Amino acid sequence: MDKVTMTETLVSAKLAKGESWEMIAGKLGMSPVWLCSACLGMNSAPPEKAKAISDYFGLGHDIATAIEAFPTKG
């Protein structure tokens, strides 16, 4: 899965939950700025954090793998 598809999937899941990045970050014990950047594809995450994010949204291993991938920055 590419970062664009990952981002679209995560943002849709976030909207379905009706929660802010701050609320989600608090529940996951992460910085809201860092969490948002990782979910929007501007940052990568270590495997344990990528899995926690994917699990929180009820998404699969492909999302976690995409969150772990280093982004291409322009």
Side-chain angles (χ1 to χ4, degrees):
M1 173 179 298
D2 63 29
K3 288 281 189 180
V4 172
T5 303
M6 175 207 77
T7 297
E8 291 171 350
T9 303
L10 287 167
V11 169
S12 293
K14 177 189 166 290
L15 291 173
K17 280 194 171 283
E19 297 179 350
S20 68
W21 292 119
E22 289 82 7
M23 293 170 63
I24 298 165
K27 292 176 182 179
L28 294 175
M30 300 174 187
S31 157
V33 173
W34 180 87
L35 174 66
C36 181
S37 72
C39 290
L40 296 181
M42 296 180 269
N43 202 352
S44 59
E48 66 279 357
K49 291 189 184 247
K51 183 178 182 327
I53 295 165
S54 178
D55 288 350
Y56 181 80
F57 288 111
L59 301 170
H61 177 72
D62 55 336
I63 290 289
T65 300
I67 296 170
E68 290 177 44
F70 188 79
T72 302
K73 297 183 180 185

